[in-house]
Amino acid sequence: MAALVLTGPAQAAGPAYVALGDSYSAGNGAGNYISSSGNCHRSNSAYPALWAGAHSPSSFTFAACSGAVTSDVTGSQLGGLNSSTGLVTVTIGGNDAGFSDVITTCVTGSDSTCVNRVNTAEAFVRNTLPGRLDTVYNAIHAKAPNARVVVLGYPDMYTLNVFCIGMSATKHQKIDEAADVLDSTTASVAAAHGFVFGDVRSTFKGHELCSGDDYLHSLVISPSWESYHPTATGHSAGYLPVLNAND
């Protein structure tokens, strides 16, 4: 699905902005979807669109797409990048690590099955994902050498040590551990490329699932693809402040 490109007035002060990545950047779960984005599920309430609305960039290319893995970014999302690009944001790596399958396994399986699946994902993140991130980050820099690149992470899913109906405390802790491994690995690779890492775990803290003031969806029956993704508030109060602090 083609990226959405908006061009602002010539006198606009904001930098040309390109938003790359997966469903956490596209806005799965935020509602207010852009019909022309189809299965990419881009949302006008996602943090890239909110940032663009507030900063009037000279152009805005919204290329993030639901389900994207690292090879999708390099293969189909970089067309909007050039030497005039001033800001690039990206969330990527969760799907490479099998985020959806991890959640499904933990929802439907035993504690031990969940733990084993998360351990497999963590090994992938530590051993294989860094090379894939290197490829993405090198490609971004090659096409947009003058851009400030902000790599945004993923929130922890659960508030721990509180009563919560659903999955066990063991599963909650293990899923959060996986998010922490993913974030720490991503932060390290981003730093090696001179990119900024935006850690959203701080803004989501106290607003994870089971908090009573959730910025995330739990299991959604319809549409199921919104499950375990940030709500509109998760984008406006979770992701956007971190981008604003690092843009």
Side-chain angles (χ1 to χ4, degrees):
M1 186 64 62
L4 175 69
V5 181
L6 300 176
T7 301
Q11 71 272 20
Y17 172 34
V18 179
L20 309 172
D22 55 23
S23 55
Y24 273 64
S25 289
N28 279 36
N32 197 17
Y33 298 111
I34 301 166
S35 58
S36 61
S37 71
N39 289 333
C40 284
H41 306 310
R42 298 186 192 108
S43 169
N44 284 313
S45 297
Y47 77 83
L50 296 177
W51 190 95
H55 292 81
S56 300
S58 55
S59 65
F60 172 44
T61 303
F62 197 178
C65 188
S66 173
V69 294
T70 48
S71 60
D72 293 316
V73 176
T74 55
S76 63
Q77 293 190 14
L78 303 183
L81 298 177
N82 56 56
S83 60
S84 298
T85 304
L87 176 66
V88 177
T89 59
V90 60
T91 58
I92 201 68
N95 291 321
D96 292 75
F99 168 76
S100 179
D101 185 62
V102 168
I103 293 294
T104 299
T105 299
C106 289
V107 168
T108 61
S110 65
D111 281 4
S112 61
T113 302
C114 173
V115 168
N116 289 338
R117 180 63 184 89
V118 172
N119 285 341
T120 299
E122 290 178 355
F124 175 91
V125 169
R126 291 188 175 103
N127 299 322
T128 304
L129 185 62
R132 295 190 182 188
L133 294 178
D134 278 331
T135 298
V136 171
Y137 298 165
N138 285 334
I140 291 172
H141 180 71
K143 289 183 172 292
N146 302 310
R148 180 171 180 82
V149 181
V150 181
V151 178
L152 291 143
Y154 299 91
D156 285 331
M157 280 284 159
Y158 291 97
T159 295
L160 302 179
N161 303 314
V162 297
F163 175 75
C164 187
I165 296 173
M167 286 192 284
S168 68
T170 296
K171 292 178 178 180
H172 292 169
Q173 184 174 358
K174 197 66 179 177
I175 290 169
D176 279 4
E177 178 188 294
D180 293 340
V181 171
L182 181 56
D183 282 336
S184 62
T185 299
T186 303
S188 177
V189 179
H193 287 261
F195 296 168
V196 176
F197 180 73
D199 193 341
V200 300
R201 288 172 294 181
S202 58
T203 47
F204 276 82
K205 188 170 180 60
H207 301 285
E208 305 95 339
L209 296 175
C210 302
S211 68
D213 186 19
D214 305 354
Y215 284 2
L216 295 150
H217 292 284
S218 56
L219 183 64
V220 178
I221 302 303
S222 181
S224 60
W225 43 262
E226 289 190 335
S227 300
Y228 302 100
H229 284 84
T231 62
T233 303
H235 280 270
S236 64
Y239 271 90
L240 185 61
V242 175
L243 176 53
N244 284 335
N246 292 286
D247 59 9

